[in-house]
């Protein structure tokens, strides 16, 4: 009989997330935006894309404008950072802070959320939602 649940012995080959992709409409503009927001230098790749190394996971920014309009990510991509206030200042300068509400608090403000995370949300020029969370406040679930 096989079981659909995994136990401790079955965890030797746990899938590891290594790349997330967002679609954009202008690669040069996206490289400038993400480079400034993340404070990182991207690595251009073949196929109208650029990689930003965000810890163990690579953010792949892909220009799809030659084929179709960019489709925004379904939900926020979450990043932990040690200096949330510095990233917030960069997001302010890019004028990309979210105008939505998260649990009745402004998403685009640095707020301690009801679950204890100190965070803020942004939206890139192509509608991709991103969230930055201060390291040490991440809610593990």
């Amino acid at each position: 009989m096989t079981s659909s649940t995994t136990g401790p012995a079955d965890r030797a080959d746990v899938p590891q997330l290594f790349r997330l992709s967002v679609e954009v409409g202008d690669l040069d503009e996206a490289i400038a935006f993400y480079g400034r927001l993340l404070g990182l230098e991207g690595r251009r790749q073949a196929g109208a894309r650029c990689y930003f190394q965000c810890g163990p996971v690579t953010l792949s920014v892909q220009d799809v404008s030659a084929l179709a309009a960019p489709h925004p990510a379904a939900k926020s991509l979450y990043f932990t950072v040690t200096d949330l206030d510095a990233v917030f200042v960069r997001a302010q300068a890019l004028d990309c802070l979210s105008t939505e509400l998260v649990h009745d608090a402004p998403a685009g403000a640095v707020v301690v959320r009801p679950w204890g995370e100190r965070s803020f949300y942004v939206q890139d020029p192509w509608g991709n939602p991103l969230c930055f969370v201060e390291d040490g406040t991440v809610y593990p679930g």
Side-chain angles (χ1 to χ4, degrees):
M1 183 190 299
T2 61
S3 172
S4 62
T5 61
T6 58
D10 300 324
R11 296 180 193 223
D13 192 20
V14 174
Q16 301 293 310
L17 188 62
F18 73 96
R19 186 181 309 131
L20 295 172
S21 298
V22 294
E23 295 181 359
V24 300
D26 181 313
L27 188 60
D28 290 330
E29 183 181 343
I31 290 170
F33 175 86
Y34 277 97
R36 191 164 169 202
L37 178 65
L38 299 174
L40 298 172
E41 188 170 327
R43 298 182 327 273
R44 280 188 182 263
Q45 305 293 313
R49 68 185 69 211
C50 185
Y51 286 177
F52 291 88
Q53 196 61 47
C54 299
V57 178
T58 300
L59 176 65
S60 173
V61 177
Q62 301 178 11
D63 184 346
V64 297
S65 61
L67 304 172
H71 184 273
K75 293 288 183 182
S76 294
L77 301 180
Y78 291 82
F79 296 87
T80 58
V81 294
T82 54
D83 190 348
L84 186 68
D85 297 315
V87 180
F88 183 76
V89 168
R90 294 196 302 261
Q92 280 181 310
L94 289 164
D95 194 29
C96 64
L97 296 171
S98 175
T99 58
E100 297 181 8
L101 293 176
V102 173
H103 290 271
D104 299 323
V110 174
V111 173
V112 176
R113 305 295 166 187
W115 49 94
E117 290 180 349
R118 185 170 183 258
S119 66
F120 71 93
Y121 292 76
V122 305
Q123 190 168 44
D124 81 4
W126 302 275
N128 291 297
L130 313 168
C131 180
F132 292 88
V133 179
E134 186 172 61
D135 193 27
T137 70
V138 173
Y139 176 67

